[in-house]
Amino acid sequence: MNKQIIVPLDMDHDKAIELAKCFNPELCRLKVGNQLFTSSGPKIIEELNALGYEIFLDLKFHDIPNTVYEAVRSAADLGVWMLNVHIAGGRSMLKKAKEALDSYTQPPLLIGVTMLTSLSNEDVKEIGINDISDSILNLASLAKECGLDGVVCSPREVSLIKDKLGKDFIAVTPGIRLETSSDDQVRVLTPIEAVNNGSDFLVIGRPITKSRNPLESLKEIITDLNS
Ligand code: C5P
C-alpha cells in the first residue's frame, strides 16, 4: 500500500530537492509537473532518479500526433516511471503516444487525463460539455481502446470507470483532501474514500507539501490507509 502515494513537487528546484531528501523512495513516488519541469529542465528527473525515486512526469501532452509521439519518446528517454497525455487529443494522438513506447523494453506507464479535477459542473458546461460523468467515461473508454494503461481522474469517478473498464485499468487520482479546505480543487475526496473507490495511486500535494511537517503528514496518511 505504501507506494500508492505520489507527492507532486509543485515548487522550485531547491525546495523540490530538499523535500525529496526529507522523504524516502520506499514511502512514496514523486510527480514532476509543469511548474518544476519548466523552471528546472530535464535534469530534475535525473537528480530525483539518482535519489532513488520513481517519477511521474505530469506534462499532460496535448498536441498533433507526431509532436506527441516525439515528446513521449523524449520523456521515456529520461527514465520516468509514468507519463501522461490529454485524452481529448483524440484517437490518432493516443495511438501515436502508445506507439512511441513500443521499442522500450521497460516502457513508462502511459496514462490519459480525463478531465481536470479542478473543473466543476458549471466549468465543463462553459466548454460545451453537458454531462461530466458521461464525458469522463467516454474519454476513459477511448484511452483503453488506444492501449493506454489507465487514466487520471477524480477519486469520485473511479468506481464508474473501474465498473466499465475493469479493475486492471489504472486510476490515478489527484483531488485528495484531508479536511474541508480544497484550495482550487473541486471534485475532491479523502485518501481513504479514494482507495475505497478503487483508486490505485493517490496524488496528494498541498495537504503534504504545505504542512508544517511534510514527512509526518505523509506518514500519517500512509498509516491511516494501512489501518
Ligand atoms: O496540491 P494538490 O493535491 O491539489 O496537487 C494536485 C496535483 O495533481 C497538481 O500537481 C496538479 O497539477 C495535478 N493534477 C490535477 N488534476 C488532474 C491532473 C493533475 O490536480 N486532472
Side-chain angles (χ1 to χ4, degrees):
M1 271 245 177
N2 287 351
K3 297 258 275 193
Q4 262 187 311
I5 297 179
I6 304 173
V7 182
L9 300 176
D10 296 325
M11 55 197 66
D12 68 25
H13 172 272
D14 292 356
K15 278 201 194 114
I17 295 296
E18 193 185 314
L19 211 51
K21 285 184 174 162
C22 140
F23 297 147
N24 175 338
E26 298 305 315
L27 288 182
C28 64
R29 295 180 167 92
L30 298 176
K31 180 169 90 65
V32 173
N34 286 310
Q35 179 185 355
L36 181 57
F37 195 82
T38 306
S39 62
S40 303
K43 73 169 194 295
I44 186 69
I45 306 294
E46 227 174 274
E47 291 177 273
L48 295 170
N49 276 340
L51 291 172
Y53 285 101
E54 291 175 299
I55 306 301
F56 171 17
L57 184 62
D58 177 24
L59 298 182
K60 302 184 182 72
F61 297 134
H62 188 173
D63 211 314
I64 60 170
N66 185 62
T67 302
V68 167
Y69 176 92
E70 297 298 344
V72 167
R73 286 189 67 85
S74 301
D77 288 341
L78 293 174
V80 298
W81 159 73
M82 176 184 277
L83 61 89
N84 62 0
V85 296
H86 264 291
I87 303 170
R91 186 181 294 275
S92 306
M93 190 207 81
L94 297 171
K95 285 185 147 178
K96 279 303 242 187
K98 173 71 181 157
E99 190 191 315
L101 298 174
D102 279 351
S103 61
Y104 292 81
T105 41
Q106 279 192 301
L109 291 168
L110 179 62
I111 302 292
V113 179
T114 52
M115 232 177 262
L116 298 175
T117 45
S118 52
L119 295 174
S120 66
N121 281 326
E122 287 66 42
D123 292 326
V124 297
K125 281 207 177 99
E126 243 177 10
I127 53 170
I129 293 163
N130 280 323
D131 188 312
I132 198 164
S133 301
D134 264 7
S135 172
I136 284 167
L137 218 44
N138 261 344
L139 289 164
S141 304
L142 178 62
K144 185 158 189 208
E145 270 176 49
C146 296
L148 272 65
D149 298 298
V151 288
V152 182
C153 61
S154 150
R156 297 182 183 203
E157 289 131 18
V158 177
S159 13
L160 200 68
I161 290 172
K162 296 263 183 180
D163 283 351
K164 180 155 186 214
L165 301 175
K167 282 200 166 40
D168 292 342
F169 195 56
I170 296 171
V172 180
T173 60
I176 307 286
R177 284 299 176 266
L178 307 182
E179 64 302 291
T180 43
S181 128
S182 64
D183 304 309
D184 54 352
Q185 297 284 18
V186 174
R187 305 193 326 274
V188 297
L189 284 184
T190 66
I192 290 178
E193 288 170 327
V195 168
N196 287 342
N197 279 0
S199 215
D200 298 288
F201 298 105
L202 314 181
V203 177
I204 313 181
R206 286 162 288 181
I208 294 174
T209 58
K210 299 271 186 212
S211 82
R212 247 182 289 148
N213 188 333
L215 179 60
E216 271 317 302
S217 302
L218 171 64
K219 284 183 172 167
E220 270 169 31
I221 297 170
I222 294 172
T223 308
D224 269 6
L225 288 179
N226 288 334
S227 62

